[in-house]
Amino acid sequence: MTDQPQDLSENQLRKRVEALSLRQKVRLLTGEDFWSVAAEPLAGLRRLVFSDGPAGVRGEAWDERNPSANVPSPTALAATWDESRIERLGGLLAAEARRKGVDVLLAPTINLHRTPYGGRHFECFSEDPVLTGRIGAAYVRGLQSAGVGATVKHFVANDSETERFTVDVQVAERVLRELYLAPFEAIVREARAWVVMAAYNAVNGTTMTEHPLLREVLKDEWGFDGLVVSDWYAGRSLAAASDGLLDLVMPGPSGPWGDALVAAVAAGHLPEHAVDDKVLRLLRLAGRVGALDGARPATPSWTTEQSRAELRETAAAGFVLARNEPAEAGEARLLPLSPGRLRRVAVVGPNAAVARTLGGGSATVFPPFTVSPLDGLRAALGPDVCVDHARGGRSSRRVPAARPEMLYGPNGHGTGVELCFFDTEGTLLGSETRESATFTWLGGTAGATIPIEQVAAFELRTRVRADSAGTYLIGAAGVGRITMTVGGSVRIDTHLGLTADADPVERMMRPPQETVPVPLDAGEQVGIMLRYEPPSFAGEGFTDAAILSFQLLVGADGDDDAELAEAVALAGEADVAVVVVGTTDEVESEGFDRASLSLPVRQDELVRRVRAANPRTVVAVNAGAPVLLPWADEVPAVLLTWFPGQEFGNALADVLLGISEPGGRLPVTWPQAERGLPGTTPVGGKLDYNEGLFIGYRRYERDGEEPLYRFGHGLGYTTWECHSVELSPGDGDDGAVIVTVRLHNTGTRRGREVVQVFLSRPDSAIERVPRWLAGFGSAEAEPDQQVEVRVALPRRAFEHWDAAGRRWAVEAGEFQVAVQTSSGSALLGLDTGLLRD
Ligand code: BGC
């Protein structure tokens, strides 16, 4: 049950602002620490806590001991095209937030898939602004109706990572309005998001924390009454404090405001009412999330079972079945598999035994457990089916962090690692035991109480146990000085660095590595001592806070040829081969863009060779964003699973065995090749969005180019016929035009069909994309059942931004309405006369 917090009246809030001195007010406008705003008893405000999102709620610590439900990443959520499901998931996230003491989630990320090279593509919903806006609004409603704040981010045009702190995006006003601002507008207006995050980048010459778009468009035009928070360290100036711009600088405690802001107000350079408005917005947010004494805190709750079931179903609902053909002529389509006919299944590929459930960067959470494809299939098929596994090569050339199950206590008992913290004098500050090999601190404390800034050196002791005989690569990753002894001998003593312009998140997600080969027998243990000395914090440049990260690495020094051969041999002996290929959080991450869309290392070769050994090959693609699939037409079945969250393997088994239908439709065009895709590298600090309105499907359709899989594509397990399509005027509130589609489930199983409605405007007097998504809806039906799907097209779908007139306008004349389902498409003409104001 949810106990809704109640908005305090505006008058009450204003009185609380008035009760504070200028200094007390200004103190609230910069974070108290990395994740929170300080309590202010005079205003009845308790400490207010923010945390990342969007694939879960990490909480204040970056630590495996503080786990969080790991929901599917946003591309997977958008692929469901299912707002009620996403709204429910928002409720689950709200419960997680409350459990972890979090008031405001720093999610959803609603930047667009301008190009699949974008490092955070997996963290954004779609290339389409309408789909992004609707799925994003559902996410926000789910969170906020349970009393937890949502932060729509990053406002605006933060669609790639290269030079992200400074890049100046050059984008035409109409393009900004119709594409990049559109999801923000939809979510602010319809879902009334409580927080918007101002991005790092500049747009057309002005950095976003100082940009007039905040005042003129977000606050004045759209009526946003919430809080504008800076992206972390994006609040860099006093200018950002001007009336109507940035409200809160994060993180703190230092920052550009503080005394300088007090002085600016005292000197009359900034009116005090500008500060009051920021504090009012902060208190309004606090009231909404239950952080003011007069407001009631929300108490949503989900049981573990409910949450696991929801995550499992949602993952399956986002899987896109891109291809499903018979393995041999005359047979039925390969999927779903019939479990009764299976005796031996090969589950191969680098992402088969290690579940890749999320991408990298601030979206990282620590799931309590993950279910790999191998585990999921083994559990579902039971003991009578032999499920074989071989990795078949790697999905990354980097040496992985040690798996926790290989780590044993340094003194011969227990598991994990012992971690000691030392200050600059070499004094031991404290120690702790960890069940991890990846360590990150973003401000905060090491152990329970040691401020991370005081730690000058870390020493890690553990014993690595080999699970099989072979040579292992053992070492460390991190920026700074690394010393490592293996079995008592010093094997590494080096300094590792990144280029001066490297992103701090790159330091966490893809730090430089150093390893040495260590031959071990099966079951043999070797003692490790790793000393890590980070560079001094003053060297960080953009922040004075400690952002520290290092890893202990242990990976088999594998022979790819032998691994490939082993996987191919297993596949050849099986009734069916499931190949799980994909990327990792070191490939798809915040902090850097992708340089190539190919599957890393030799995964394409693996797929082709497995297919040659066994025609009954299903390929599951475990990547948060498109990767090139040059063999796509050579295999009978391709299932795109995204980064599907902690229940990956269970959901995969459900879909492959036909317990669940793969419910997804593509939220992004899946390219055939890299040619023609927009790049992410700024020139002279500027990134020109010179493709204008033509991103994603809009470009392919203009150029008459066929991608591998179209936007909106996705198959199910049943078949449909579209019986009729009708247009009628809407009642204004609901939509300008209603499209009613009558569908018939002509197959043999229950299924869900998504109806996508596109508009086009032949003979337009203005530049147009060939067609654009105007609305969508879905329905479920039993075999032979007929259902009606009603899709409301809002007036905005017919409007374009008239840059000269600085307004939205509808071009008179006839639009065309195309209704697309998995069974085909229908085209109808529609005169603007049908539109009602
Ligand atoms: C990211 C934000 C995130 C923030 C806090 C930034 O680097 O861009 O999305 O919310 O860090 O972790």
Side-chain angles (χ1 to χ4, degrees):
M1 283 300 292
T2 301
D3 192 6
Q4 295 289 341
Q6 291 187 338
D7 283 16
L8 292 180
S9 78
E10 286 291 293
N11 255 343
Q12 286 170 304
L13 291 175
R14 277 178 212 283
K15 285 212 176 87
R16 289 179 186 223
V17 177
E18 281 162 19
L20 303 178
S21 69
L22 176 62
R23 196 161 280 285
Q24 284 166 332
K25 288 185 278 197
V26 166
R27 188 180 72 100
L28 292 177
L29 300 181
T30 296
E32 181 184 34
D33 54 30
F34 214 86
W35 298 116
S36 75
V37 170
E40 178 46 82
L42 256 181
L45 173 69
R46 65 157 167 77
R47 182 170 179 260
L48 187 73
V49 179
F50 296 77
S51 175
D52 287 310
V57 184
R58 191 173 59 245
E60 292 185 72
W62 189 290
D63 195 315
E64 77 287 350
R65 293 166 296 183
N66 195 356
S68 323
N70 173 200
V71 313
S73 287
T75 35
L77 302 183
T80 66
W81 296 65
D82 187 343
E83 291 154 289
S84 49
R85 175 177 290 289
I86 303 309
E87 188 167 338
R88 213 160 51 236
L89 198 77
L92 185 159
L93 288 167
E96 281 290 279
R98 284 301 174 215
R99 184 177 69 74
K100 304 196 82 167
V102 169
D103 301 297
V104 180
L105 190 65
L106 299 171
T109 310
I110 60 163
N111 300 112
L112 293 188
H113 296 161
R114 171 175 173 260
T115 166
Y117 292 113
R120 298 180 87 166
H121 191 289
F122 75 91
E123 201 189 313
C124 305
F125 291 115
S126 169
E127 68 188 19
D128 183 86
V130 169
L131 181 59
T132 300
R134 284 183 51 182
I135 296 294
Y139 188 105
V140 169
R141 280 195 304 272
L143 274 168
Q144 294 190 168
S145 61
V148 169
T151 306
V152 287
K153 69 187 189 182
H154 313 81
F155 187 83
V156 61
N158 181 186
D159 310 291
S160 51
E161 297 298 281
T162 311
E163 299 177 24
R164 66 175 170 148
F165 300 125
T166 53
V167 62
D168 182 8
V169 171
Q170 306 293 297
V171 51
E173 186 181 327
R174 178 168 170 221
V175 176
L176 203 53
R177 286 285 188 159
E178 293 187 18
L179 289 182
Y180 300 99
L181 285 170
F184 286 95
E185 179 174 9
I187 297 174
V188 164
R189 285 191 194 270
E190 287 157 31
R192 319 236 33 113
W194 295 341
V195 184
V196 168
M197 184 186 282
Y200 292 120
N201 55 286
V203 169
N204 298 332
T206 307
T207 195
M208 280 315 303
T209 45
E210 299 171 17
H211 209 291
L213 279 172
L214 293 172
R215 176 175 46 230
E216 291 165 13
V217 175
L218 174 67
K219 290 180 178 172
D220 292 349
E221 188 182 316
W222 300 346
F224 175 66
D225 69 356
L227 182 86
V228 177
V229 64
S230 69
D231 197 346
W232 267 227
Y233 300 104
R236 288 168 282 219
S237 68
L238 203 52
S242 299
D243 199 11
L245 301 185
L246 186 65
D247 299 316
L248 173 65
V249 168
M250 284 301 285
S254 56
W257 291 3
D259 291 344
L261 181 51
V262 173
V265 175
H269 301 318
L270 186 81
E272 188 158 352
H273 68 76
V275 169
D276 290 352
D277 181 60
K278 298 177 200 307
V279 177
L280 180 65
R281 287 169 181 271
L282 180 73
L283 294 189
R284 199 180 280 137
L285 170 69
R288 289 169 169 168
V289 301
L292 288 184
D293 53 14
R296 287 186 296 147
T299 52
S301 72
W302 279 66
T303 65
T304 308
E305 294 70 37
Q306 284 173 326
S307 145
R308 285 198 64 177
E310 191 69 35
L311 297 181
R312 182 172 181 159
E313 278 175 23
T314 302
F319 288 174
V320 175
L321 182 58
R323 177 176 167 86
N324 190 17
E325 297 294 324
E328 311 265 14
E331 288 186 1
R333 293 177 195 280
L334 183 55
L335 295 179
L337 304 170
S338 308
R341 297 213 200 121
L342 299 174
R343 288 287 154 265
R344 191 166 206 133
V345 175
V347 183
V348 301
N351 287 26
V354 180
R356 300 291 179 185
T357 68
L358 39 63
S362 59
T364 304
V365 296
F366 297 88
F369 59 87
T370 57
V371 182
S372 71
L374 180 62
D375 292 341
L377 279 158
R378 281 206 168 126
L381 289 167
D384 296 340
V385 181
C386 175
V387 180
D388 294 319
H389 167 68
R391 188 169 75 151
R394 296 166 288 166
S395 54
S396 167
R397 291 192 191 279
R398 290 171 59 82
V399 180
R403 284 181 289 115
E405 41 307 353
M406 301 183 81
L407 304 176
Y408 288 82
N411 304 319
H413 42 78
T415 56
V417 308
E418 185 190 80
L419 199 54
C420 297
F421 311 105
F422 297 91
D423 67 11
T424 44
E425 309 294 311
T427 308
L428 178 65
L429 299 171
S431 68
E432 62 186 10
T433 302
R434 299 282 297 267
E435 298 286 336
S436 175
T438 302
F439 310 94
T440 296
W441 294 268
L442 298 179
T445 60
T449 53
I450 306 155
I452 191 66
E453 292 82 359
Q454 289 178 13
V455 181
F458 301 80
E459 281 185 11
L460 172 159
R461 288 183 178 72
T462 188
R463 298 183 71 77
V464 169
R465 184 176 187 279
D467 15 47
S468 54
T471 298
Y472 288 79
L473 296 175
I474 301 187
V479 170
R481 174 147 188 229
I482 308 273
T483 329
M484 180 181 264
T485 59
V486 180
S489 325
V490 177
R491 298 285 304 274
I492 297 177
D493 185 353
T494 189
H495 267 97
L496 296 178
L498 277 173
T499 54
D501 59 353
D503 193 292
V505 172
E506 181 161 6
R507 202 174 299 181
M508 289 156 49
M509 295 311 305
R510 210 169 52 175
Q513 304 189 319
E514 182 85 6
T515 59
V516 288
V518 180
L520 293 173
D521 286 331
E524 186 181 344
Q525 295 192 8
V526 63
I528 303 286
M529 198 288 285
L530 164 63
R531 183 176 164 88
Y532 170 61
E533 294 167 46
S536 70
F537 306 129
E540 298 279 344
F542 86 120
T543 158
D544 57 357
I547 300 181
L548 294 185
S549 190
F550 73 101
Q551 301 169 1
L552 167 68
L553 309 174
V554 180
D557 188 9
D559 170 349
D560 284 342
D561 285 331
E563 286 200 23
L564 273 152
E566 187 191 359
V568 172
L570 285 182
E573 289 160 15
D575 300 323
V576 64
V578 178
V579 193
V580 190
V581 291
T583 64
T584 72
D585 58 359
E586 292 176 336
V587 175
E588 294 185 56
S589 172
E590 176 181 338
F592 44 89
D593 291 314
R594 284 194 291 168
S596 157
L597 302 186
S598 293
L599 280 168
V601 206
R602 291 168 66 181
Q603 298 185 79
D604 289 332
E605 180 186 346
L606 173 70
V607 173
R608 284 200 160 113
R609 286 176 57 186
V610 167
R611 163 67 187 83
N614 190 337
R616 302 170 70 73
T617 291
V618 179
V619 185
V621 181
N622 177 201
V627 283
L628 301 181
L629 312 177
W631 34 260
D633 296 340
E634 300 162 25
V635 297
V638 178
L639 184 70
L640 310 173
T641 69
W642 316 107
F643 288 137
Q646 68 186 49
E647 291 287 335
F648 181 13
N650 287 333
L652 184 68
D654 289 345
V655 165
L656 295 183
L657 304 177
I659 297 159
S660 302
E661 191 182 41
R665 304 290 186 269
L666 281 175
V668 55
T669 308
W670 203 281
Q672 180 91 250
E674 303 199 24
R675 190 173 26 85
L677 296 170
T680 62
T681 309
V683 177
K686 294 185 194 302
L687 183 62
D688 199 341
Y689 282 18
N690 51 17
E691 69 286 343
L693 296 169
F694 297 90
I695 62 169
Y697 64 89
R698 299 152 174 250
R699 201 260 311 166
Y700 283 90
E701 292 180 4
R702 178 196 63 192
D703 296 350
E705 200 182 305
E706 199 52 40
L708 179 60
Y709 303 125
R710 290 186 187 191
F711 173 79
H713 170 70
L715 309 169
Y717 285 156
T718 187
T719 51
W720 298 89
E721 263 174 29
C722 178
H723 281 329
S724 64
V725 179
E726 279 164 27
L727 302 179
S728 54
D731 64 9
D733 287 346
D734 194 12
V737 172
I738 306 297
V739 184
T740 307
V741 182
R742 181 159 276 280
L743 295 170
H744 183 186
N745 180 350
T746 50
T748 54
R749 33 178 304 157
R750 184 182 170 80
R752 172 172 176 263
E753 178 65 310
V754 178
V755 172
Q756 302 152 358
V757 180
F758 291 85
L759 290 178
S760 56
R761 182 67 174 77
D763 306 321
S764 173
I766 52 172
E767 186 190 38
R768 298 271 190 179
V769 298
R771 56 178 200 152
W772 59 96
L773 184 72
F776 61 90
S778 65
E780 291 192 20
E782 299 295 338
D784 206 31
Q785 191 189 349
Q786 295 203 14
V787 281
E788 234 176 48
V789 181
R790 196 171 169 278
V791 180
L793 307 186
R795 185 179 171 82
R796 175 58 57 82
F798 296 86
E799 292 175 329
H800 65 274
W801 180 254
D802 169 8
R806 310 210 70 189
R807 62 187 181 99
W808 292 100
V810 177
E811 187 182 14
E814 193 174 273
F815 284 73
Q816 279 187 349
V817 181
V819 173
Q820 184 172 297
T821 63
S822 61
S823 56
S825 58
L827 200 64
L828 291 94
L830 179 149
D831 195 87
T832 40
L834 251 193
L835 297 181
R836 283 196 185 149
D837 277 322

